[in-house]
């Protein structure tokens, strides 16, 4: 099973330069606070859509993490960064590990659930793997209430190898009546021999209202609330969904 996007497949080895792990420290700390809010002690955490493990590298000092992602290439990146974590290839829509966890964390990989049916499946997966008294935390990039068209850029260099990456991301909504938005990515990728190539890729990601999110979470059996993200970044704080599984 593979992902449809090159960013998480052929280009996965560039991920630590495109989105460096140290940029995740603040949001991982905020997520850790929410994960620790369960009514039971939280030790074992399942992360669905863990990608290159850039949240995990900050969370692993506090929790025992099991990391699941659709992309084997991204998991290979994560294994190098998080050798002490358990890794599995899997789809958050149908994953069944046959065990439960004190908490479940779903970062922005949930954005790729672009229709309600897929989002319901992902939420059900989180519920099935969450122990009674545990908690699930979902961090979509946008809800209807927080979305605005925007662009961003970033990237970094690896001084040791001479490799470097830069990106431009432009997010907009082609059709306000559907449940997804579009992000156009342009990547400039410099190899160690100083050759540079350009890659363009279009991603579709979900856009649901807070009420729709809360309805899907409560429909799965969670007691859910929307919380405004605490961030020092110069952007609209995200809606984070905190979902407790009744004990």
């Amino acid at each position: 099973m593979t992902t449809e996007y090159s960013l998480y497949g052929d280009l996965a080895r560039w991920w630590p330069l495109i989105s460096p792990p140290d940029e995740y420290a603040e949001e991982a700390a905020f997520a850790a606070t929410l994960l620790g809010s369960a009514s039971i002690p939280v030790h074992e955490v399942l992360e669905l859509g863990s990608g290159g493990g850039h949240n995990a590298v900050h969370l692993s000092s506090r929790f025992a993490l099991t990391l699941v992602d659709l992309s084997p290439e991204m998991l290979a990146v994560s294994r190098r960064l998080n050798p002490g974590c358990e890794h599995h290839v899997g789809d958050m829509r149908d994953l069944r590990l046959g065990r439960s966890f004190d908490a479940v964390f779903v970062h922005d990989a949930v954005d790729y659930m672009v229709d309600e049916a897929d989002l319901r499946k992902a939420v059900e997966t989180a519920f099935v793997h969450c122990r009674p008294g545990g908690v699930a935390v979902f961090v979509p990039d946008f809800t209807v209430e927080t979305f605005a068209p925007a662009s961003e850029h970033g990237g970094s260099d690896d001084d040791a190898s001479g490799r470097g990456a830069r990106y431009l991301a432009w997010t907009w909504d082609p059709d306000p009546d559907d449940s997804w938005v579009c992000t156009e990515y342009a990547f400039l990728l410099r190899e160690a021999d100083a050759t540079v190539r350009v890659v363009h890729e279009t991603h579709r990601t979900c856009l649901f209202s807070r009420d729709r999110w809360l309805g899907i979470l409560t429909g799965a059996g969670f007691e859910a609330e929307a919380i405004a993200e605490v961030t020092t970044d110069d952007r609209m704080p995200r809606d984070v969904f905190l979902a407790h599984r009744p004990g």
Side-chain angles (χ1 to χ4, degrees), residues 24 35 44-57 59 64-69 75 78 82 85-86 88 92 95 97 101 103-109 137:
Y24 290 70
L35 291 167
E44 296 181 309
V45 175
L46 171 66
E47 183 177 356
L48 300 174
S50 56
H54 290 185
N55 278 299
V57 73
L59 295 172
L65 297 174
T66 296
L67 307 179
V68 176
D69 198 84
L75 286 178
S78 180
N82 301 290
C85 295
E86 184 179 338
H88 297 275
M92 69 174 73
L95 177 78
L97 292 176
F101 298 81
V104 180
F105 180 45
V106 194
H107 196 242
D108 55 7
V137 175

PDB file of all heavy atoms in Angstrom, residues 24 35 44-57 59 64-69 75 78 82 85-86 88 92 95 97 101 103-109 137:
ATOM      1  N   TYR A  24       8.744  21.472  15.229  1.00  0.00           N
ATOM      2  CA  TYR A  24       7.563  20.829  15.814  1.00  0.00           C
ATOM      3  C   TYR A  24       7.540  20.897  17.343  1.00  0.00           C
ATOM      4  O   TYR A  24       6.603  20.399  17.963  1.00  0.00           O
ATOM      5  CB  TYR A  24       7.508  19.362  15.396  1.00  0.00           C
ATOM      6  CG  TYR A  24       7.198  19.141  13.932  1.00  0.00           C
ATOM      7  CD1 TYR A  24       8.120  19.463  12.949  1.00  0.00           C
ATOM      8  CD2 TYR A  24       5.983  18.596  13.532  1.00  0.00           C
ATOM      9  CE1 TYR A  24       7.854  19.264  11.601  1.00  0.00           C
ATOM     10  CE2 TYR A  24       5.702  18.386  12.185  1.00  0.00           C
ATOM     11  CZ  TYR A  24       6.641  18.728  11.235  1.00  0.00           C
ATOM     12  OH  TYR A  24       6.363  18.525   9.902  1.00  0.00           O
ATOM     13  N   LEU A  35      -2.843  15.205  25.414  1.00  0.00           N
ATOM     14  CA  LEU A  35      -2.788  13.743  25.542  1.00  0.00           C
ATOM     15  C   LEU A  35      -2.750  13.324  27.006  1.00  0.00           C
ATOM     16  O   LEU A  35      -3.314  12.285  27.378  1.00  0.00           O
ATOM     17  CB  LEU A  35      -1.560  13.201  24.810  1.00  0.00           C
ATOM     18  CG  LEU A  35      -1.592  13.303  23.283  1.00  0.00           C
ATOM     19  CD1 LEU A  35      -0.206  13.027  22.703  1.00  0.00           C
ATOM     20  CD2 LEU A  35      -2.609  12.326  22.686  1.00  0.00           C
ATOM     21  N   GLU A  44       1.057   4.758  27.028  1.00  0.00           N
ATOM     22  CA  GLU A  44       1.142   4.235  25.662  1.00  0.00           C
ATOM     23  C   GLU A  44       0.280   5.087  24.731  1.00  0.00           C
ATOM     24  O   GLU A  44      -0.919   5.258  24.966  1.00  0.00           O
ATOM     25  CB  GLU A  44       0.660   2.785  25.619  1.00  0.00           C
ATOM     26  CG  GLU A  44       1.531   1.836  26.423  1.00  0.00           C
ATOM     27  CD  GLU A  44       1.016   0.413  26.337  1.00  0.00           C
ATOM     28  OE1 GLU A  44      -0.191   0.203  26.584  1.00  0.00           O
ATOM     29  OE2 GLU A  44       1.809  -0.487  26.013  1.00  0.00           O
ATOM     30  N   VAL A  45       0.895   5.611  23.689  1.00  0.00           N
ATOM     31  CA  VAL A  45       0.201   6.482  22.740  1.00  0.00           C
ATOM     32  C   VAL A  45       0.372   5.931  21.331  1.00  0.00           C
ATOM     33  O   VAL A  45       1.480   5.576  20.918  1.00  0.00           O
ATOM     34  CB  VAL A  45       0.753   7.923  22.803  1.00  0.00           C
ATOM     35  CG1 VAL A  45       0.115   8.798  21.721  1.00  0.00           C
ATOM     36  CG2 VAL A  45       0.498   8.531  24.188  1.00  0.00           C
ATOM     37  N   LEU A  46      -0.736   5.874  20.607  1.00  0.00           N
ATOM     38  CA  LEU A  46      -0.742   5.510  19.193  1.00  0.00           C
ATOM     39  C   LEU A  46      -0.831   6.785  18.371  1.00  0.00           C
ATOM     40  O   LEU A  46      -1.736   7.590  18.571  1.00  0.00           O
ATOM     41  CB  LEU A  46      -1.936   4.604  18.885  1.00  0.00           C
ATOM     42  CG  LEU A  46      -2.225   4.299  17.412  1.00  0.00           C
ATOM     43  CD1 LEU A  46      -1.098   3.473  16.787  1.00  0.00           C
ATOM     44  CD2 LEU A  46      -3.562   3.574  17.263  1.00  0.00           C
ATOM     45  N   GLU A  47       0.101   6.970  17.439  1.00  0.00           N
ATOM     46  CA  GLU A  47       0.002   8.098  16.508  1.00  0.00           C
ATOM     47  C   GLU A  47      -0.364   7.572  15.131  1.00  0.00           C
ATOM     48  O   GLU A  47       0.375   6.769  14.538  1.00  0.00           O
ATOM     49  CB  GLU A  47       1.293   8.909  16.426  1.00  0.00           C
ATOM     50  CG  GLU A  47       1.116  10.119  15.512  1.00  0.00           C
ATOM     51  CD  GLU A  47       2.316  11.047  15.410  1.00  0.00           C
ATOM     52  OE1 GLU A  47       3.323  10.820  16.109  1.00  0.00           O
ATOM     53  OE2 GLU A  47       2.233  12.003  14.611  1.00  0.00           O
ATOM     54  N   LEU A  48      -1.478   8.030  14.612  1.00  0.00           N
ATOM     55  CA  LEU A  48      -1.948   7.665  13.278  1.00  0.00           C
ATOM     56  C   LEU A  48      -1.523   8.740  12.292  1.00  0.00           C
ATOM     57  O   LEU A  48      -1.741   9.920  12.523  1.00  0.00           O
ATOM     58  CB  LEU A  48      -3.478   7.536  13.271  1.00  0.00           C
ATOM     59  CG  LEU A  48      -4.077   6.499  14.216  1.00  0.00           C
ATOM     60  CD1 LEU A  48      -5.604   6.598  14.212  1.00  0.00           C
ATOM     61  CD2 LEU A  48      -3.639   5.092  13.814  1.00  0.00           C
ATOM     62  N   GLY A  49      -0.917   8.318  11.177  1.00  0.00           N
ATOM     63  CA  GLY A  49      -0.397   9.283  10.211  1.00  0.00           C
ATOM     64  C   GLY A  49       0.833   9.989  10.754  1.00  0.00           C
ATOM     65  O   GLY A  49       0.952  11.213  10.671  1.00  0.00           O
ATOM     66  N   SER A  50       1.768   9.219  11.286  1.00  0.00           N
ATOM     67  CA  SER A  50       2.926   9.773  12.000  1.00  0.00           C
ATOM     68  C   SER A  50       3.990  10.346  11.082  1.00  0.00           C
ATOM     69  O   SER A  50       4.902  11.039  11.543  1.00  0.00           O
ATOM     70  CB  SER A  50       3.550   8.689  12.886  1.00  0.00           C
ATOM     71  OG  SER A  50       3.899   7.545  12.111  1.00  0.00           O
ATOM     72  N   GLY A  51       3.911  10.073   9.782  1.00  0.00           N
ATOM     73  CA  GLY A  51       4.828  10.666   8.824  1.00  0.00           C
ATOM     74  C   GLY A  51       6.281  10.391   9.138  1.00  0.00           C
ATOM     75  O   GLY A  51       6.670   9.281   9.494  1.00  0.00           O
ATOM     76  N   GLY A  52       7.112  11.436   9.026  1.00  0.00           N
ATOM     77  CA  GLY A  52       8.535  11.295   9.279  1.00  0.00           C
ATOM     78  C   GLY A  52       8.924  11.281  10.736  1.00  0.00           C
ATOM     79  O   GLY A  52      10.109  11.260  11.065  1.00  0.00           O
ATOM     80  N   GLY A  53       7.945  11.288  11.633  1.00  0.00           N
ATOM     81  CA  GLY A  53       8.226  11.171  13.065  1.00  0.00           C
ATOM     82  C   GLY A  53       8.688  12.453  13.723  1.00  0.00           C
ATOM     83  O   GLY A  53       9.300  12.427  14.790  1.00  0.00           O
ATOM     84  N   HIS A  54       8.337  13.608  13.147  1.00  0.00           N
ATOM     85  CA  HIS A  54       8.843  14.864  13.678  1.00  0.00           C
ATOM     86  C   HIS A  54       8.095  15.329  14.921  1.00  0.00           C
ATOM     87  O   HIS A  54       8.660  16.090  15.712  1.00  0.00           O
ATOM     88  CB  HIS A  54       8.820  15.936  12.590  1.00  0.00           C
ATOM     89  CG  HIS A  54       9.829  15.685  11.518  1.00  0.00           C
ATOM     90  ND1 HIS A  54      10.061  16.573  10.492  1.00  0.00           N
ATOM     91  CD2 HIS A  54      10.670  14.650  11.308  1.00  0.00           C
ATOM     92  CE1 HIS A  54      11.006  16.090   9.694  1.00  0.00           C
ATOM     93  NE2 HIS A  54      11.379  14.917  10.172  1.00  0.00           N
ATOM     94  N   ASN A  55       6.859  14.907  15.116  1.00  0.00           N
ATOM     95  CA  ASN A  55       6.215  15.084  16.415  1.00  0.00           C
ATOM     96  C   ASN A  55       6.722  14.050  17.409  1.00  0.00           C
ATOM     97  O   ASN A  55       6.968  14.353  18.576  1.00  0.00           O
ATOM     98  CB  ASN A  55       4.691  14.968  16.282  1.00  0.00           C
ATOM     99  CG  ASN A  55       4.036  16.246  15.814  1.00  0.00           C
ATOM    100  OD1 ASN A  55       4.114  17.272  16.475  1.00  0.00           O
ATOM    101  ND2 ASN A  55       3.390  16.187  14.660  1.00  0.00           N
ATOM    102  N   ALA A  56       6.887  12.844  16.936  1.00  0.00           N
ATOM    103  CA  ALA A  56       7.289  11.746  17.819  1.00  0.00           C
ATOM    104  C   ALA A  56       8.625  12.002  18.494  1.00  0.00           C
ATOM    105  O   ALA A  56       8.829  11.622  19.652  1.00  0.00           O
ATOM    106  CB  ALA A  56       7.335  10.442  17.025  1.00  0.00           C
ATOM    107  N   VAL A  57       9.546  12.646  17.789  1.00  0.00           N
ATOM    108  CA  VAL A  57      10.866  12.872  18.383  1.00  0.00           C
ATOM    109  C   VAL A  57      10.765  13.745  19.635  1.00  0.00           C
ATOM    110  O   VAL A  57      11.593  13.632  20.552  1.00  0.00           O
ATOM    111  CB  VAL A  57      11.837  13.489  17.344  1.00  0.00           C
ATOM    112  CG1 VAL A  57      11.515  14.946  17.062  1.00  0.00           C
ATOM    113  CG2 VAL A  57      13.282  13.315  17.782  1.00  0.00           C
ATOM    114  N   LEU A  59       7.728  13.856  21.491  1.00  0.00           N
ATOM    115  CA  LEU A  59       6.794  13.194  22.405  1.00  0.00           C
ATOM    116  C   LEU A  59       7.377  11.947  23.053  1.00  0.00           C
ATOM    117  O   LEU A  59       6.903  11.508  24.107  1.00  0.00           O
ATOM    118  CB  LEU A  59       5.511  12.812  21.650  1.00  0.00           C
ATOM    119  CG  LEU A  59       4.659  13.963  21.123  1.00  0.00           C
ATOM    120  CD1 LEU A  59       3.542  13.423  20.224  1.00  0.00           C
ATOM    121  CD2 LEU A  59       4.071  14.769  22.269  1.00  0.00           C
ATOM    122  N   ALA A  64       5.403   6.185  25.511  1.00  0.00           N
ATOM    123  CA  ALA A  64       5.820   5.055  24.676  1.00  0.00           C
ATOM    124  C   ALA A  64       4.961   5.097  23.419  1.00  0.00           C
ATOM    125  O   ALA A  64       3.745   4.901  23.483  1.00  0.00           O
ATOM    126  CB  ALA A  64       5.624   3.738  25.422  1.00  0.00           C
ATOM    127  N   LEU A  65       5.574   5.357  22.282  1.00  0.00           N
ATOM    128  CA  LEU A  65       4.837   5.629  21.056  1.00  0.00           C
ATOM    129  C   LEU A  65       4.835   4.446  20.106  1.00  0.00           C
ATOM    130  O   LEU A  65       5.862   3.794  19.883  1.00  0.00           O
ATOM    131  CB  LEU A  65       5.448   6.827  20.326  1.00  0.00           C
ATOM    132  CG  LEU A  65       5.411   8.173  21.050  1.00  0.00           C
ATOM    133  CD1 LEU A  65       6.191   9.204  20.257  1.00  0.00           C
ATOM    134  CD2 LEU A  65       3.979   8.637  21.250  1.00  0.00           C
ATOM    135  N   THR A  66       3.667   4.204  19.518  1.00  0.00           N
ATOM    136  CA  THR A  66       3.521   3.307  18.380  1.00  0.00           C
ATOM    137  C   THR A  66       3.115   4.177  17.199  1.00  0.00           C
ATOM    138  O   THR A  66       2.104   4.881  17.260  1.00  0.00           O
ATOM    139  CB  THR A  66       2.457   2.230  18.644  1.00  0.00           C
ATOM    140  OG1 THR A  66       2.901   1.408  19.737  1.00  0.00           O
ATOM    141  CG2 THR A  66       2.248   1.349  17.413  1.00  0.00           C
ATOM    142  N   LEU A  67       3.913   4.146  16.137  1.00  0.00           N
ATOM    143  CA  LEU A  67       3.757   5.059  15.012  1.00  0.00           C
ATOM    144  C   LEU A  67       3.259   4.310  13.797  1.00  0.00           C
ATOM    145  O   LEU A  67       3.817   3.274  13.411  1.00  0.00           O
ATOM    146  CB  LEU A  67       5.088   5.736  14.701  1.00  0.00           C
ATOM    147  CG  LEU A  67       5.766   6.430  15.891  1.00  0.00           C
ATOM    148  CD1 LEU A  67       7.097   7.047  15.463  1.00  0.00           C
ATOM    149  CD2 LEU A  67       4.858   7.490  16.506  1.00  0.00           C
ATOM    150  N   VAL A  68       2.209   4.846  13.183  1.00  0.00           N
ATOM    151  CA  VAL A  68       1.576   4.218  12.012  1.00  0.00           C
ATOM    152  C   VAL A  68       1.474   5.246  10.905  1.00  0.00           C
ATOM    153  O   VAL A  68       1.035   6.375  11.123  1.00  0.00           O
ATOM    154  CB  VAL A  68       0.167   3.684  12.355  1.00  0.00           C
ATOM    155  CG1 VAL A  68      -0.507   3.121  11.102  1.00  0.00           C
ATOM    156  CG2 VAL A  68       0.250   2.617  13.438  1.00  0.00           C
ATOM    157  N   ASP A  69       1.881   4.855   9.696  1.00  0.00           N
ATOM    158  CA  ASP A  69       1.739   5.730   8.545  1.00  0.00           C
ATOM    159  C   ASP A  69       1.489   4.896   7.297  1.00  0.00           C
ATOM    160  O   ASP A  69       1.900   3.734   7.214  1.00  0.00           O
ATOM    161  CB  ASP A  69       2.986   6.598   8.351  1.00  0.00           C
ATOM    162  CG  ASP A  69       2.705   7.803   7.465  1.00  0.00           C
ATOM    163  OD1 ASP A  69       2.220   8.820   7.994  1.00  0.00           O
ATOM    164  OD2 ASP A  69       2.937   7.728   6.244  1.00  0.00           O
ATOM    165  N   LEU A  75       8.017   6.208   6.930  1.00  0.00           N
ATOM    166  CA  LEU A  75       8.369   5.442   8.122  1.00  0.00           C
ATOM    167  C   LEU A  75       9.859   5.158   8.182  1.00  0.00           C
ATOM    168  O   LEU A  75      10.447   5.097   9.265  1.00  0.00           O
ATOM    169  CB  LEU A  75       7.578   4.137   8.156  1.00  0.00           C
ATOM    170  CG  LEU A  75       6.095   4.265   8.526  1.00  0.00           C
ATOM    171  CD1 LEU A  75       5.418   2.902   8.468  1.00  0.00           C
ATOM    172  CD2 LEU A  75       5.902   4.882   9.907  1.00  0.00           C
ATOM    173  N   SER A  78      11.319   8.109   9.709  1.00  0.00           N
ATOM    174  CA  SER A  78      11.007   8.126  11.136  1.00  0.00           C
ATOM    175  C   SER A  78      11.844   7.128  11.919  1.00  0.00           C
ATOM    176  O   SER A  78      12.278   7.416  13.044  1.00  0.00           O
ATOM    177  CB  SER A  78       9.519   7.840  11.343  1.00  0.00           C
ATOM    178  OG  SER A  78       9.192   7.858  12.716  1.00  0.00           O
ATOM    179  N   ASN A  82      13.613   8.021  15.201  1.00  0.00           N
ATOM    180  CA  ASN A  82      12.972   7.471  16.406  1.00  0.00           C
ATOM    181  C   ASN A  82      13.207   5.968  16.500  1.00  0.00           C
ATOM    182  O   ASN A  82      12.254   5.179  16.433  1.00  0.00           O
ATOM    183  CB  ASN A  82      11.464   7.760  16.362  1.00  0.00           C
ATOM    184  CG  ASN A  82      11.130   9.233  16.279  1.00  0.00           C
ATOM    185  OD1 ASN A  82      11.322   9.972  17.236  1.00  0.00           O
ATOM    186  ND2 ASN A  82      10.619   9.671  15.130  1.00  0.00           N
ATOM    187  N   CYS A  85      10.992   3.703  18.850  1.00  0.00           N
ATOM    188  CA  CYS A  85       9.541   3.610  18.691  1.00  0.00           C
ATOM    189  C   CYS A  85       9.160   2.431  17.808  1.00  0.00           C
ATOM    190  O   CYS A  85       9.890   2.066  16.886  1.00  0.00           O
ATOM    191  CB  CYS A  85       8.985   4.897  18.074  1.00  0.00           C
ATOM    192  SG  CYS A  85       9.176   6.368  19.104  1.00  0.00           S
ATOM    193  N   GLU A  86       7.997   1.889  18.073  1.00  0.00           N
ATOM    194  CA  GLU A  86       7.426   0.818  17.240  1.00  0.00           C
ATOM    195  C   GLU A  86       6.775   1.457  16.012  1.00  0.00           C
ATOM    196  O   GLU A  86       6.058   2.453  16.128  1.00  0.00           O
ATOM    197  CB  GLU A  86       6.387   0.065  18.061  1.00  0.00           C
ATOM    198  CG  GLU A  86       5.766  -1.137  17.388  1.00  0.00           C
ATOM    199  CD  GLU A  86       4.765  -1.844  18.286  1.00  0.00           C
ATOM    200  OE1 GLU A  86       4.850  -1.681  19.526  1.00  0.00           O
ATOM    201  OE2 GLU A  86       3.887  -2.547  17.745  1.00  0.00           O
ATOM    202  N   HIS A  88       4.605   0.853  12.211  1.00  0.00           N
ATOM    203  CA  HIS A  88       3.763  -0.018  11.390  1.00  0.00           C
ATOM    204  C   HIS A  88       3.299   0.745  10.149  1.00  0.00           C
ATOM    205  O   HIS A  88       2.919   1.911  10.244  1.00  0.00           O
ATOM    206  CB  HIS A  88       2.515  -0.475  12.151  1.00  0.00           C
ATOM    207  CG  HIS A  88       2.793  -1.302  13.362  1.00  0.00           C
ATOM    208  ND1 HIS A  88       2.980  -2.663  13.305  1.00  0.00           N
ATOM    209  CD2 HIS A  88       2.911  -0.952  14.666  1.00  0.00           C
ATOM    210  CE1 HIS A  88       3.206  -3.128  14.534  1.00  0.00           C
ATOM    211  NE2 HIS A  88       3.164  -2.099  15.373  1.00  0.00           N
ATOM    212  N   MET A  92      -5.066   4.777   8.327  1.00  0.00           N
ATOM    213  CA  MET A  92      -5.886   5.132   9.476  1.00  0.00           C
ATOM    214  C   MET A  92      -7.369   4.846   9.252  1.00  0.00           C
ATOM    215  O   MET A  92      -8.147   4.817  10.205  1.00  0.00           O
ATOM    216  CB  MET A  92      -5.681   6.593   9.863  1.00  0.00           C
ATOM    217  CG  MET A  92      -6.209   7.613   8.903  1.00  0.00           C
ATOM    218  SD  MET A  92      -6.051   9.318   9.547  1.00  0.00           S
ATOM    219  CE  MET A  92      -4.290   9.589   9.412  1.00  0.00           C
ATOM    220  N   LEU A  95      -7.045   0.522   9.842  1.00  0.00           N
ATOM    221  CA  LEU A  95      -6.061  -0.114  10.720  1.00  0.00           C
ATOM    222  C   LEU A  95      -6.738  -0.791  11.913  1.00  0.00           C
ATOM    223  O   LEU A  95      -7.604  -0.212  12.548  1.00  0.00           O
ATOM    224  CB  LEU A  95      -5.084   0.946  11.235  1.00  0.00           C
ATOM    225  CG  LEU A  95      -4.024   0.445  12.223  1.00  0.00           C
ATOM    226  CD1 LEU A  95      -2.909  -0.279  11.481  1.00  0.00           C
ATOM    227  CD2 LEU A  95      -3.481   1.610  13.039  1.00  0.00           C
ATOM    228  N   LEU A  97      -4.935  -2.943  15.027  1.00  0.00           N
ATOM    229  CA  LEU A  97      -3.739  -3.555  15.597  1.00  0.00           C
ATOM    230  C   LEU A  97      -4.071  -4.637  16.611  1.00  0.00           C
ATOM    231  O   LEU A  97      -3.180  -5.357  17.060  1.00  0.00           O
ATOM    232  CB  LEU A  97      -2.867  -2.485  16.257  1.00  0.00           C
ATOM    233  CG  LEU A  97      -2.203  -1.471  15.310  1.00  0.00           C
ATOM    234  CD1 LEU A  97      -1.452  -0.425  16.126  1.00  0.00           C
ATOM    235  CD2 LEU A  97      -1.274  -2.167  14.330  1.00  0.00           C
ATOM    236  N   PHE A 101      -4.703   1.595  23.482  1.00  0.00           N
ATOM    237  CA  PHE A 101      -3.700   2.535  23.976  1.00  0.00           C
ATOM    238  C   PHE A 101      -4.360   3.525  24.923  1.00  0.00           C
ATOM    239  O   PHE A 101      -5.566   3.737  24.887  1.00  0.00           O
ATOM    240  CB  PHE A 101      -3.069   3.282  22.797  1.00  0.00           C
ATOM    241  CG  PHE A 101      -2.348   2.387  21.828  1.00  0.00           C
ATOM    242  CD1 PHE A 101      -3.056   1.683  20.855  1.00  0.00           C
ATOM    243  CD2 PHE A 101      -0.969   2.223  21.893  1.00  0.00           C
ATOM    244  CE1 PHE A 101      -2.400   0.846  19.964  1.00  0.00           C
ATOM    245  CE2 PHE A 101      -0.306   1.389  21.004  1.00  0.00           C
ATOM    246  CZ  PHE A 101      -1.022   0.703  20.036  1.00  0.00           C
ATOM    247  N   ALA A 103      -3.902   6.687  24.799  1.00  0.00           N
ATOM    248  CA  ALA A 103      -4.256   7.881  24.020  1.00  0.00           C
ATOM    249  C   ALA A 103      -3.929   7.640  22.553  1.00  0.00           C
ATOM    250  O   ALA A 103      -3.071   6.808  22.223  1.00  0.00           O
ATOM    251  CB  ALA A 103      -3.517   9.114  24.540  1.00  0.00           C
ATOM    252  N   VAL A 104      -4.621   8.374  21.695  1.00  0.00           N
ATOM    253  CA  VAL A 104      -4.396   8.314  20.251  1.00  0.00           C
ATOM    254  C   VAL A 104      -4.177   9.739  19.761  1.00  0.00           C
ATOM    255  O   VAL A 104      -4.934  10.652  20.119  1.00  0.00           O
ATOM    256  CB  VAL A 104      -5.584   7.676  19.511  1.00  0.00           C
ATOM    257  CG1 VAL A 104      -5.317   7.628  18.001  1.00  0.00           C
ATOM    258  CG2 VAL A 104      -5.863   6.271  20.053  1.00  0.00           C
ATOM    259  N   PHE A 105      -3.154   9.915  18.948  1.00  0.00           N
ATOM    260  CA  PHE A 105      -2.803  11.236  18.426  1.00  0.00           C
ATOM    261  C   PHE A 105      -2.876  11.191  16.904  1.00  0.00           C
ATOM    262  O   PHE A 105      -2.298  10.306  16.275  1.00  0.00           O
ATOM    263  CB  PHE A 105      -1.392  11.601  18.881  1.00  0.00           C
ATOM    264  CG  PHE A 105      -0.896  12.948  18.400  1.00  0.00           C
ATOM    265  CD1 PHE A 105      -1.699  14.078  18.467  1.00  0.00           C
ATOM    266  CD2 PHE A 105       0.388  13.079  17.891  1.00  0.00           C
ATOM    267  CE1 PHE A 105      -1.230  15.315  18.037  1.00  0.00           C
ATOM    268  CE2 PHE A 105       0.864  14.310  17.463  1.00  0.00           C
ATOM    269  CZ  PHE A 105       0.061  15.438  17.530  1.00  0.00           C
ATOM    270  N   VAL A 106      -3.624  12.131  16.333  1.00  0.00           N
ATOM    271  CA  VAL A 106      -3.747  12.227  14.871  1.00  0.00           C
ATOM    272  C   VAL A 106      -3.446  13.670  14.488  1.00  0.00           C
ATOM    273  O   VAL A 106      -4.282  14.557  14.687  1.00  0.00           O
ATOM    274  CB  VAL A 106      -5.142  11.812  14.370  1.00  0.00           C
ATOM    275  CG1 VAL A 106      -5.097  11.597  12.853  1.00  0.00           C
ATOM    276  CG2 VAL A 106      -5.637  10.554  15.072  1.00  0.00           C
ATOM    277  N   HIS A 107      -2.252  13.886  13.969  1.00  0.00           N
ATOM    278  CA  HIS A 107      -1.841  15.238  13.584  1.00  0.00           C
ATOM    279  C   HIS A 107      -2.444  15.559  12.217  1.00  0.00           C
ATOM    280  O   HIS A 107      -3.512  15.048  11.851  1.00  0.00           O
ATOM    281  CB  HIS A 107      -0.311  15.336  13.619  1.00  0.00           C
ATOM    282  CG  HIS A 107       0.217  16.725  13.615  1.00  0.00           C
ATOM    283  ND1 HIS A 107       1.013  17.213  12.606  1.00  0.00           N
ATOM    284  CD2 HIS A 107       0.070  17.754  14.494  1.00  0.00           C
ATOM    285  CE1 HIS A 107       1.336  18.468  12.865  1.00  0.00           C
ATOM    286  NE2 HIS A 107       0.781  18.818  14.007  1.00  0.00           N
ATOM    287  N   ASP A 108      -1.775  16.386  11.420  1.00  0.00           N
ATOM    288  CA  ASP A 108      -2.401  16.889  10.204  1.00  0.00           C
ATOM    289  C   ASP A 108      -2.527  15.875   9.071  1.00  0.00           C
ATOM    290  O   ASP A 108      -3.104  16.197   8.024  1.00  0.00           O
ATOM    291  CB  ASP A 108      -1.701  18.156   9.707  1.00  0.00           C
ATOM    292  CG  ASP A 108      -0.209  17.976   9.489  1.00  0.00           C
ATOM    293  OD1 ASP A 108       0.279  16.841   9.588  1.00  0.00           O
ATOM    294  OD2 ASP A 108       0.466  18.992   9.212  1.00  0.00           O
ATOM    295  N   ALA A 109      -2.060  14.647   9.266  1.00  0.00           N
ATOM    296  CA  ALA A 109      -2.352  13.603   8.269  1.00  0.00           C
ATOM    297  C   ALA A 109      -3.849  13.374   8.126  1.00  0.00           C
ATOM    298  O   ALA A 109      -4.317  12.900   7.082  1.00  0.00           O
ATOM    299  CB  ALA A 109      -1.648  12.291   8.631  1.00  0.00           C
ATOM    300  N   VAL A 137      -6.640  12.945  20.258  1.00  0.00           N
ATOM    301  CA  VAL A 137      -6.405  14.341  19.887  1.00  0.00           C
ATOM    302  C   VAL A 137      -6.245  14.413  18.375  1.00  0.00           C
ATOM    303  O   VAL A 137      -5.405  13.708  17.800  1.00  0.00           O
ATOM    304  CB  VAL A 137      -5.147  14.898  20.589  1.00  0.00           C
ATOM    305  CG1 VAL A 137      -4.848  16.321  20.104  1.00  0.00           C
ATOM    306  CG2 VAL A 137      -5.319  14.877  22.098  1.00  0.00           C
TER     307      VAL A 137
END
